[in-house]
Amino acid sequence: MKGLIAKKVGMTQVFDESGNLTPVTVIRVEPNTVIATKTKEDCGYDAVVLGVEDLKAKKVTKPYAGQFPENITPKRHLKEFRDFDGDVTVGAQIGLELFNDARYLDVTATSKGKGFQGVMKRWGFHGGRATHGSKFHREPGGTGECTTPGHNFKNTKLPGHMGFVRVTVQNLKIVKVDPELKVIMVRGSVPGSKDCTLIVKTAVKK
């Protein structure tokens, strides 16, 4: 498995040689710095810790700075990738060349927050009739608790906080890679808002 920390730029569309239009998401991949490596002998598993985006010295606490080697500037975003394919050394930088042999990617991010929403928006409930006098339009209806058991079971579909959860979209096809602009384009959409941080990995199922 190979992976990098990236940033979502936005969506656009590209045309192939036949003139077919494909909607794509543009992902910017700045060089990731190898912060540390972990081995089975030391930690019980193999992993690589990558970091991106330098932090100002005044914003770094001593405990946070302690996990970085002396020759590496503390980074804002850190991510540990287990079972990382390839040999890397601490201090090395990894970019888009990591995905030269890949055709599909898995992208992980925090989805957009929707706030407190009702059951129609959150769960897709049909709702009641919109006619005059029905008095039942957007409510969830009865949940069946009554006297027995006298409470709602867990995972009952009810109004509540929607969005702002960790989401992974799998098997996104790589449409185009531009090393000069440090961007990679994948077919379809990825979770998260504009300029959010993404975790991009080679596809597990393909």
PDB file of all heavy atoms in Angstrom, residues 64 91 99 105 126-127 148 150 152 156 170 176 193:
ATOM      1  N   TYR A  64       5.340  18.712  20.920  1.00  0.00           N
ATOM      2  CA  TYR A  64       5.053  18.415  19.515  1.00  0.00           C
ATOM      3  C   TYR A  64       6.335  18.386  18.690  1.00  0.00           C
ATOM      4  O   TYR A  64       6.508  17.542  17.814  1.00  0.00           O
ATOM      5  CB  TYR A  64       4.089  19.467  18.955  1.00  0.00           C
ATOM      6  CG  TYR A  64       3.579  19.154  17.559  1.00  0.00           C
ATOM      7  CD1 TYR A  64       2.592  18.196  17.359  1.00  0.00           C
ATOM      8  CD2 TYR A  64       4.091  19.814  16.437  1.00  0.00           C
ATOM      9  CE1 TYR A  64       2.126  17.898  16.093  1.00  0.00           C
ATOM     10  CE2 TYR A  64       3.625  19.529  15.160  1.00  0.00           C
ATOM     11  CZ  TYR A  64       2.645  18.574  14.996  1.00  0.00           C
ATOM     12  OH  TYR A  64       2.186  18.269  13.747  1.00  0.00           O
ATOM     13  N   GLY A  91      13.680  11.957   6.374  1.00  0.00           N
ATOM     14  CA  GLY A  91      14.120  13.188   5.746  1.00  0.00           C
ATOM     15  C   GLY A  91      13.881  13.237   4.254  1.00  0.00           C
ATOM     16  O   GLY A  91      13.940  14.320   3.650  1.00  0.00           O
ATOM     17  N   PHE A  99       2.713   7.387  -7.343  1.00  0.00           N
ATOM     18  CA  PHE A  99       1.552   6.792  -7.998  1.00  0.00           C
ATOM     19  C   PHE A  99       1.779   6.553  -9.488  1.00  0.00           C
ATOM     20  O   PHE A  99       0.818   6.471 -10.254  1.00  0.00           O
ATOM     21  CB  PHE A  99       0.328   7.688  -7.812  1.00  0.00           C
ATOM     22  CG  PHE A  99      -0.051   7.907  -6.381  1.00  0.00           C
ATOM     23  CD1 PHE A  99      -0.246   9.195  -5.901  1.00  0.00           C
ATOM     24  CD2 PHE A  99      -0.211   6.843  -5.521  1.00  0.00           C
ATOM     25  CE1 PHE A  99      -0.606   9.409  -4.581  1.00  0.00           C
ATOM     26  CE2 PHE A  99      -0.575   7.045  -4.193  1.00  0.00           C
ATOM     27  CZ  PHE A  99      -0.767   8.330  -3.719  1.00  0.00           C
ATOM     28  N   LEU A 105      -7.365   4.927  -7.029  1.00  0.00           N
ATOM     29  CA  LEU A 105      -7.005   5.451  -5.715  1.00  0.00           C
ATOM     30  C   LEU A 105      -8.188   5.362  -4.755  1.00  0.00           C
ATOM     31  O   LEU A 105      -9.346   5.356  -5.183  1.00  0.00           O
ATOM     32  CB  LEU A 105      -6.558   6.916  -5.810  1.00  0.00           C
ATOM     33  CG  LEU A 105      -5.323   7.233  -6.657  1.00  0.00           C
ATOM     34  CD1 LEU A 105      -5.106   8.737  -6.717  1.00  0.00           C
ATOM     35  CD2 LEU A 105      -4.080   6.537  -6.105  1.00  0.00           C
ATOM     36  N   HIS A 126     -39.638   9.729   3.325  1.00  0.00           N
ATOM     37  CA  HIS A 126     -40.559  10.250   2.324  1.00  0.00           C
ATOM     38  C   HIS A 126     -41.356  11.433   2.861  1.00  0.00           C
ATOM     39  O   HIS A 126     -41.672  12.375   2.123  1.00  0.00           O
ATOM     40  CB  HIS A 126     -41.523   9.142   1.879  1.00  0.00           C
ATOM     41  CG  HIS A 126     -42.430   9.522   0.764  1.00  0.00           C
ATOM     42  ND1 HIS A 126     -43.635  10.158   0.966  1.00  0.00           N
ATOM     43  CD2 HIS A 126     -42.308   9.387  -0.569  1.00  0.00           C
ATOM     44  CE1 HIS A 126     -44.223  10.384  -0.196  1.00  0.00           C
ATOM     45  NE2 HIS A 126     -43.442   9.924  -1.146  1.00  0.00           N
ATOM     46  N   GLY A 127     -41.703  11.410   4.149  1.00  0.00           N
ATOM     47  CA  GLY A 127     -42.514  12.481   4.721  1.00  0.00           C
ATOM     48  C   GLY A 127     -43.995  12.213   4.538  1.00  0.00           C
ATOM     49  O   GLY A 127     -44.410  11.280   3.834  1.00  0.00           O
ATOM     50  N   THR A 148     -43.388  -0.818  26.235  1.00  0.00           N
ATOM     51  CA  THR A 148     -42.323  -1.830  26.138  1.00  0.00           C
ATOM     52  C   THR A 148     -41.628  -1.664  24.802  1.00  0.00           C
ATOM     53  O   THR A 148     -42.287  -1.740  23.759  1.00  0.00           O
ATOM     54  CB  THR A 148     -42.903  -3.252  26.235  1.00  0.00           C
ATOM     55  OG1 THR A 148     -43.642  -3.362  27.451  1.00  0.00           O
ATOM     56  CG2 THR A 148     -41.789  -4.285  26.213  1.00  0.00           C
ATOM     57  N   GLY A 150     -40.084   1.013  26.093  1.00  0.00           N
ATOM     58  CA  GLY A 150     -40.107   2.284  26.794  1.00  0.00           C
ATOM     59  C   GLY A 150     -38.946   3.202  26.458  1.00  0.00           C
ATOM     60  O   GLY A 150     -38.748   4.220  27.108  1.00  0.00           O
ATOM     61  N   ASN A 152     -35.986   4.306  22.959  1.00  0.00           N
ATOM     62  CA  ASN A 152     -35.556   4.073  21.578  1.00  0.00           C
ATOM     63  C   ASN A 152     -34.319   3.204  21.553  1.00  0.00           C
ATOM     64  O   ASN A 152     -33.396   3.387  22.353  1.00  0.00           O
ATOM     65  CB  ASN A 152     -35.251   5.405  20.881  1.00  0.00           C
ATOM     66  CG  ASN A 152     -36.515   6.115  20.448  1.00  0.00           C
ATOM     67  OD1 ASN A 152     -37.499   5.474  20.098  1.00  0.00           O
ATOM     68  ND2 ASN A 152     -36.499   7.432  20.488  1.00  0.00           N
ATOM     69  N   THR A 156     -31.594   3.855  15.800  1.00  0.00           N
ATOM     70  CA  THR A 156     -32.881   4.262  15.241  1.00  0.00           C
ATOM     71  C   THR A 156     -32.696   5.554  14.438  1.00  0.00           C
ATOM     72  O   THR A 156     -32.010   6.477  14.884  1.00  0.00           O
ATOM     73  CB  THR A 156     -33.904   4.492  16.366  1.00  0.00           C
ATOM     74  OG1 THR A 156     -34.049   3.287  17.126  1.00  0.00           O
ATOM     75  CG2 THR A 156     -35.254   4.890  15.791  1.00  0.00           C
ATOM     76  N   GLN A 170     -13.756   4.716  -2.563  1.00  0.00           N
ATOM     77  CA  GLN A 170     -12.818   3.740  -3.122  1.00  0.00           C
ATOM     78  C   GLN A 170     -12.873   3.695  -4.644  1.00  0.00           C
ATOM     79  O   GLN A 170     -13.872   4.076  -5.270  1.00  0.00           O
ATOM     80  CB  GLN A 170     -13.111   2.347  -2.557  1.00  0.00           C
ATOM     81  CG  GLN A 170     -12.887   2.244  -1.053  1.00  0.00           C
ATOM     82  CD  GLN A 170     -13.145   0.848  -0.543  1.00  0.00           C
ATOM     83  OE1 GLN A 170     -14.104   0.193  -0.948  1.00  0.00           O
ATOM     84  NE2 GLN A 170     -12.295   0.376   0.367  1.00  0.00           N
ATOM     85  N   LYS A 176      -5.737  11.946 -15.028  1.00  0.00           N
ATOM     86  CA  LYS A 176      -4.581  12.697 -15.511  1.00  0.00           C
ATOM     87  C   LYS A 176      -3.672  13.047 -14.344  1.00  0.00           C
ATOM     88  O   LYS A 176      -4.137  13.294 -13.234  1.00  0.00           O
ATOM     89  CB  LYS A 176      -5.048  13.984 -16.209  1.00  0.00           C
ATOM     90  CG  LYS A 176      -3.940  14.790 -16.878  1.00  0.00           C
ATOM     91  CD  LYS A 176      -4.497  16.003 -17.605  1.00  0.00           C
ATOM     92  CE  LYS A 176      -3.398  16.806 -18.286  1.00  0.00           C
ATOM     93  NZ  LYS A 176      -3.938  18.000 -18.981  1.00  0.00           N
ATOM     94  N   SER A 193     -14.695  19.580   1.927  1.00  0.00           N
ATOM     95  CA  SER A 193     -14.863  20.877   1.309  1.00  0.00           C
ATOM     96  C   SER A 193     -13.595  21.286   0.568  1.00  0.00           C
ATOM     97  O   SER A 193     -12.576  20.584   0.614  1.00  0.00           O
ATOM     98  CB  SER A 193     -15.199  21.923   2.373  1.00  0.00           C
ATOM     99  OG  SER A 193     -14.181  21.961   3.358  1.00  0.00           O
TER     100      SER A 193
END
